[in-house]
Amino acid sequence: MKPPKFEYYKPATLEEALNLLEEAGDDGKIIAGGQSLVPIMNMRLASPKCLIDINGLEELSYIKNEDNTLKIGTLTRQSDVEQSEMVANVCGLLAEAITQIGHVQTRNRGTIGGSIVHADPSAELPLALLTLNGSVQITSKDEVRTVAAEDFFITYLTTDIMPTEVLTEVTIPLMEEKSGYSFQEIARRHGDFALVAAACHMTVDDEGLITAVRLALGGVEAIPLLIGDAEDILTGEQLSDSLLAQVAESVEMESDPESDLHASSEYRTHLAKVLTKRVLTQAYERARG
Amino acid sequence: MGKHEIEVTINGKVYQEEVEPRMLLSDFIRDVCGLTGTHVGCEHGVCGACTINVNGTAVRSCLMFAIQADGQQVQTVEGLSNNHELTDLQKNFIECHGLQCGFCTAGILMSTEDYLEKNPNPSSKEIKEMLSGHLCRCTGYDGIVKAIEKTIEERNQSVLS
């Protein structure tokens, strides 16, 4: 339960970090909060030869609302986002998702960017980012590029990010219309990885007709899964039991969860359907306010 | 892969030591500095026994490398009491039977002090949510919650009077 040997660097600037990362090549790994990386190093599931610690790069820690877009620096601690009144006001879904990550003590150190690049299939932040149609800014020595959440996650613990790149910012478009949201998960114990998590963001017009909806699930596939059918089924309609049943049915068709020690594939599918109904119902109620 | 010299302030005392990068902060505190009040349980951030305070925030010391604490302010359970006088929270743990074997206690005290500073009036549910980051294998959570609630009550009364 002790990590293997590694070289340690603590760059003072992002530029220095990118240079170190390029020199280290495949042996290099960025450490931010370390709440996912250090456990897997302690268990020797990962053994990076060179750790580049970006905790000194304070300029990567911020929460801003610019042009109706929420911008969060990669090094921002999860607890800072959790306690941000601004985030609670403009992006309730993110605020609700964050409280379900690990525990207070791990959120105090865990970062926004770290959880997203780690890309655990049942993690809260990747799911929230996908549901909110967010994107990430990725920086290397040569360029800064933006990748939508829909294209960022590739498979288990694997994203579009290259060994010489750093995720530097998370952006989430904000909606002005009447909108509602819901983020719910089921875990064996509070703070454990979710067996299944579901998130929904929805806008509704004055007649109660759904004008836009995004529904996504975590823990049912290798990456967070957007249920595209939900939009087709629900847009222009009032939420009803029969429509909920239709969406739940397409969730069953679209997802194929794996069985493991914690839950069978059948049970995960069952949870996915139950949580789908719950988040759609709550998001609709909140949108109607 | 040589050693690095680091300087960490723990409970007000400066420790200047040479460490390998892979040394966990929990091991540094216990084995190098001799402060064995911080306990080590799971070493992957689940049990909460090793929780300490770094720069004013409760974190897991098994999920930080000692080298990352270079230049930082650390407080461990040894740093809570003032001149060997236990804090109100510590006294209430004794009074409310908030500890049995005591293995989880140090971590819980460090989390609770930080939590109450930021949330002086949490509900029972919020206290339990905060405690969910700690495992007590004696399963004595009831006494722990009571000790914390009693401390909150007493602190509120002393503010009023």
Side-chain angles (χ1 to χ4, degrees), chain A residues 215-226:
Chain A
L215 170 74
L217 296 168
V220 297
E221 287 282 341
I223 58 172
L225 181 68
L226 190 71

Side-chain angles (χ1 to χ4, degrees), chain A residues 1-8 10 31-36 38-44 49 51 53 55 79 83 99 102-109 189-192, chain B residues 1-2 4 20-24 27 40 42-46 51 54 57-60 62-65 67-68 70 72 111 114-115 118 128-135:
Chain A
M1 296 304 286
K2 306 290 180 195
K5 288 187 175 189
F6 57 85
E7 298 271 6
Y8 174 86
K10 190 169 185 186
I31 180 166
Q35 303 300 290
S36 300
V38 182
I40 61 178
M41 286 177 69
N42 285 357
M43 290 188 267
R44 302 216 174 189
K49 290 196 181 70
L51 277 196
D53 185 349
N55 279 289
S79 57
Q83 285 152 19
T99 61
H103 307 284
V104 181
Q105 301 84 2
T106 57
R107 295 197 291 274
N108 280 342
R109 186 135 179 102
R189 286 169 302 234
H190 182 87
D192 274 11
Chain B
M1 309 225 175
H4 297 243
E20 269 188 85
R22 73 187 191 120
M23 175 172 273
L24 297 172
D27 290 337
V40 170
C42 71
E43 288 194 326
H44 60 275
V46 174
T51 303
V54 178
T57 306
V59 296
R60 307 281 202 237
C62 75
L63 297 189
M64 269 183 82
F65 298 110
I67 195 168
Q68 293 185 290
D70 185 23
Q72 318 284 311
S111 273
D114 176 42
Y115 189 77
K118 290 162 187 163
K128 285 175 188 167
E129 251 171 43
M130 180 274 290
L131 283 174
S132 74
H134 293 273
L135 296 179

Side-chain angles (χ1 to χ4, degrees), chain A residues 173-208:
Chain A
L174 300 173
M175 296 194 197
E176 279 173 290
E177 295 163 75
K178 241 172 121 182
S179 65
Y181 61 87
S182 178
F183 190 104
Q184 297 190 35
E185 64 179 44
I186 290 183
R188 286 275 180 209
R189 286 169 302 234
H190 182 87
D192 274 11
F193 280 110
L195 297 176
V196 175
C200 173
H201 190 263
M202 187 188 284
T203 51
V204 174
D205 70 10
D206 292 337
E207 273 86 56

Side-chain angles (χ1 to χ4, degrees), chain A residues 11 33-34 54 56 60 82 86 97 99 104 107 116-117 158 161 163 181 185 241 252 272:
Chain A
I54 59 167
L60 296 180
E82 182 180 0
M86 190 256 278
T99 61
V104 181
R107 295 197 291 274
I116 290 171
V117 281
T158 307
I161 206 159
Y181 61 87
E185 64 179 44
D241 286 347
E252 188 168 10

Side-chain angles (χ1 to χ4, degrees), chain B:
Chain B
M1 309 225 175
K3 291 192 169 185
H4 297 243
E5 186 164 310
I6 61 168
E7 195 180 290
V8 187
T9 309
I10 307 178
N11 306 326
K13 186 178 165 192
V14 178
Y15 292 84
Q16 223 174 14
E17 301 288 346
E18 285 202 334
V19 296
E20 269 188 85
R22 73 187 191 120
M23 175 172 273
L24 297 172
L25 181 54
S26 44
D27 290 337
F28 177 77
I29 290 168
R30 287 177 57 84
D31 303 340
V32 179
C33 306
L35 297 166
T36 51
T38 300
H39 293 163
V40 170
C42 71
E43 288 194 326
H44 60 275
V46 174
C47 78
C50 71
T51 303
I52 58 164
N53 192 303
V54 178
N55 295 337
T57 306
V59 296
R60 307 281 202 237
S61 61
C62 75
L63 297 189
M64 269 183 82
F65 298 110
I67 195 168
Q68 293 185 290
D70 185 23
Q72 318 284 311
Q73 294 283 338
V74 171
Q75 190 193 34
T76 65
V77 70
E78 289 92 340
L80 285 181
S81 65
N82 198 354
N83 282 330
H84 302 288
E85 166 89 13
L86 294 181
T87 63
D88 53 349
L89 181 67
Q90 287 173 315
K91 284 178 189 161
N92 284 332
F93 264 68
I94 297 171
E95 203 149 302
C96 302
H97 199 52
L99 67 152
Q100 289 162 64
C101 83
F103 196 87
C104 67
T105 313
I108 293 179
L109 289 171
M110 298 314 289
S111 273
T112 307
E113 284 293 4
D114 176 42
Y115 189 77
L116 292 185
E117 195 164 305
K118 290 162 187 163
N119 312 274
N121 273 304
S123 63
S124 273
K125 185 170 173 259
E126 286 169 330
I127 293 171
K128 285 175 188 167
E129 251 171 43
M130 180 274 290
L131 283 174
S132 74
H134 293 273
L135 296 179
C136 167
R137 293 296 79 193
C138 308
T139 67
Y141 295 104
D142 209 41
I144 296 170
V145 174
K146 279 186 189 140
I148 296 171
E149 284 179 336
K150 185 160 185 270
T151 306
I152 296 165
E153 221 168 277
E154 287 171 0
R155 286 185 187 178
N156 284 342
Q157 270 169 7
S158 72
V159 170
L160 285 174
S161 59

